[in-house]
Amino acid sequence: MNFAIKQSQGTVLEIHIVGDRILRENTKIVTNFDKNLGNFIGDMLATMYAAEGIGLAAPQVGKSLKVVVIDVSPCLSEGDKCDFDGNKVEEIGSIMPLCLINPVIKKYSSEVISQNEGCLSVPDFSGHVKRPVGIVLTFVDQQNVSHVLSCNGMLARCLQHEVDHLNGKLYTDLLVQKDKKRFTKYLGERSKTHLSKSNHGNIGAAQDFQG
């Protein structure tokens, strides 16, 4: 059930940072399941591991496509559960990393919990977000074969975070009130840093919020 390309086959890509337009675009459905797609997924995995992340969506590396890679192995808890195509997964880490193409969340649990999140596209910041504890999600793999994933815990939270990316949303849109104020201050500080560097000729205007 591991549909990922080995990370050693990929190239580390530049991660787009909050403020970049592509992070606010609705992504396109993948229709071509060719070698180029496989190579891109390999690059995404290499980038995610190099950045020490547990998830990455295609727009974060400049492609407006519905593609997500995930490896939550370092963050699993004892109570985390997962069913893959109707079969219980005893060791969730055994199916990692996962590549999910055209993922759609079909069902959310009624139970909601607040938990701290971060994002590779929002460096040096984290904040609490309320999300459903469990989800049911459909997706296709690199061979365009359909699958159903039912999970809770960290995998469910990470999947919701990454699917949001595919819909032009950032986790910062969902921050609890106290952290929204911190995020506004964070953006202001990044703007000042950018302006200072720009005035000294260190970066160009097109690199706004690149960090």
Side-chain angles (χ1 to χ4, degrees), residues 56-77:
L56 188 70
Q60 291 181 274
V61 288
K63 293 287 186 180
S64 188
L65 294 173
K66 294 189 182 300
V67 182
V68 164
V69 294
I70 280 178
D71 189 344
V72 296
S73 299
C75 305
L76 293 170
S77 299

Side-chain angles (χ1 to χ4, degrees), residues 158-171:
C158 188
L159 285 169
Q160 291 174 75
H161 179 115
E162 301 306 334
V163 170
D164 278 351
H165 273 301
L166 303 184
N167 296 318
K169 298 178 182 179
L170 297 176
Y171 86 101

Side-chain angles (χ1 to χ4, degrees), residues 1-119:
M1 291 189 291
N2 187 334
F3 303 110
I5 293 178
K6 294 179 181 179
Q7 80 182 83
S8 60
Q9 297 177 337
T11 299
V12 175
L13 305 173
E14 178 184 2
I15 295 176
H16 287 252
I17 304 301
V18 59
D20 287 2
R21 184 178 301 174
I22 194 168
L23 296 177
R24 291 303 188 178
E25 295 178 358
N26 285 320
T27 52
K28 299 175 182 178
I29 293 175
V30 175
T31 56
N32 294 323
F33 294 79
D34 55 12
K35 183 178 180 180
N36 290 333
L37 176 63
N39 291 338
F40 176 59
I41 291 169
D43 293 343
M44 286 184 66
L45 283 165
T47 304
M48 179 183 71
Y49 287 123
E52 299 183 351
I54 60 172
L56 188 70
Q60 291 181 274
V61 288
K63 293 287 186 180
S64 188
L65 294 173
K66 294 189 182 300
V67 182
V68 164
V69 294
I70 280 178
D71 189 344
V72 296
S73 299
C75 305
L76 293 170
S77 299
E78 187 174 341
D80 290 356
K81 297 179 181 179
C82 175
D83 287 338
F84 196 104
D85 291 340
N87 299 311
K88 182 179 180 181
V89 179
E90 297 293 344
E91 296 290 339
I92 298 176
S94 68
I95 65 170
M96 298 292 143
L98 280 175
C99 172
L100 303 97
I101 301 170
N102 302 333
V104 177
I105 298 177
K106 295 292 188 178
K107 185 177 180 180
Y108 297 89
S109 68
S110 58
E111 182 182 0
V112 175
I113 189 171
S114 177
Q115 191 169 335
N116 201 52
E117 293 187 22
C119 181

